[in-house]
Amino acid sequence: MSRAMQDWDLVVTQLIDHAAREHGSREHVTRWADGSETRASWASVRRDALRMVQALRALGIRRGERIATLAMNHARHLVTWYGAAGAGGVLHTINPRLFDEQLEYIANHAEDRVLIYDAAFQPIIDRLRSKWTTIEHYICFDSGAHAPSFEDWIGAFDGDATWEAVDERDPCMLCYTSGTTGNPKGVIYEHRSTMLHALSGIQRHCFNFDAQSVMLPVVPMFHAASWGLPWGGAATGVKFVYSCVNDAAVLCDLMNREGVTHSAGVPTVWLAMFQHCDATGRELPRLKQATIGGSAAPRFMIERLMRQGIRVAHAWGMTETSPIGTVGAPTHDWDSKSFEEQVDVVQMQGRPIFGVELRTVDLDDMTTELPRDGVSSGALQIRGPWVIKRYFKADEDAANAEGWFDTGDVGIIHPDGTLQLTDRTKDVIKSGGEWISSVELENAAMGHPDVAEAAAVGIYHPKWDERPVLFVVRKEGAALVADDVIEHLKPLVAKWWLPDAVEFVDAIPHTATGKISKKDLRDQFSDYRLEA
Ligand code: ADP
């Protein structure tokens, strides 16, 4: 029997075709590092992507080969997402904040053939060019001083071309995790996985897009596929407002001037925005939805945004999950909850978006499935069509035979399916056989008005195996002492969770993606000893 429905491959060029056809004149704004601005549209992005397809063909780039970018957020970067995938290639977005050894490793490991970069990163190119063994062509997004400029490169072609015919299970994108231990690992996204993730991500409970949405993505295009925004945005015809600098004053100005309704970023972005608003008295009257993810959104942040009438979507995910796994959005009984209870819900990491499944397993044996009872805490596993099966070039699968991928996170699943992350497997503190959540300690400490940042790590203890030590950065000018922090924590955590010591430090080390680096902190304090 012939099929009843038509063939319609889930390939990402469908997204840009749709955006250009149905939302062609919807514009995108880019504010460049030098303060200048350019405007594009979904129609121009498609046309330029097709010119890039021609330009890649002229360079002899073949199906499946990697085209890398080293760039901030701008509309030309958006063009390369569709141009690379449309040529049948694989877009490899490199994180410019990685260390040189990692940058060297990943471009060689990916066997990138072309690198398209922002002029601001010319020093990286100069340092690493001789070490990158596979890159043959360098193109610069915003200057022609050291390499052909992107505009000139694609400008030689007319865009009268067709997308490369690919299979929906072909790869279209490659992202590396930042690799807090060992070398970064490559995660390949396929056309089909990308499309399914985009379609689920644009729903109301997640990014909540419609054709009126104006989105300023602060999450970089080089981090975890920019949470899928360049793909999902095309499906709904969103207007993108991009900034190459992440300065809160610039972002606030752009948001208000361009009528930004949606934004997305890691918690630190919102912290900087609050500080700017407090110092200047400015507000974000047009903002309707803030998506926060990448690390836990602190309670005061959620509360402040929600009090301003801004919907907060607190999302959890990882590079290996394309990246969205769960989103904290209103539940069916939302309207019957008090404001405080609503904040409680959003503070957790939310429920799986359609397409992925979650479970927790016992931390000791890593196999026994735990009940969804709101108390049992275990290793978080996930499976679904946009969850990794195998890392790029790896010999073995990263997921087990049933598809469960171990996230390295520790969490509790509540009876209604809400995920509450409590820690990373490597960071939980094991004291006398019981687990202490380092993240909960940190969050509680960060609620103190004089604490700028806090990080809890388990330090060897002769009697208890490990005990928590809290490292704290004081807010400027604050005269905070250890006892103040302990007193603040007492009503917030179990007595046996209270840190054995509070140490004040000038700064806490961060990873290339801006998260607290417990590994570096542990290395820094490897000689630290607690008394029995
Ligand atoms: P990188 O390590 O390169 O920053 P990822 O973005 O893949 O890469 O990091 C994923 C990890 O970030 C998750 O496994 C989790 O530990 C953490 N994370 C992401 N979102 C949240 C969230 N909403 N709350 C707490 N932790 C989060």
Side-chain angles (χ1 to χ4, degrees), residues 32-70:
W32 297 90
D34 65 3
S36 62
E37 282 181 15
T38 53
R39 290 188 184 247
S41 65
W42 280 114
S44 78
V45 168
R46 180 177 184 274
R47 188 199 60 227
D48 288 351
L50 279 164
R51 291 153 98 194
M52 179 174 156
V53 168
Q54 294 171 303
L56 287 171
R57 283 180 185 146
L59 294 182
I61 302 300
R62 291 180 301 271
R63 211 168 135 175
E65 290 185 330
R66 270 76 63 198
I67 298 114
T69 57
L70 191 66

Side-chain angles (χ1 to χ4, degrees), residues 296 347-349 374-375 377 410-412 414 420-424 427-429 435-447 454-456 470 488-489 492-494 497 499 518:
Q347 201 185 347
M348 292 191 275
Q349 277 71 15
V375 284
S377 153
V410 180
I412 295 168
H414 288 258
Q420 181 184 356
L421 270 204
T422 53
D423 223 328
R424 304 272 308 156
D427 299 336
V428 276
I429 301 164
W435 302 101
I436 296 176
S437 158
S438 67
V439 172
E440 272 182 55
L441 274 182
E442 286 154 14
N443 285 348
M446 284 199 263
L470 189 72
H488 168 80
L489 291 176
L492 302 174
V493 301
W497 280 34
K518 298 276 175 83

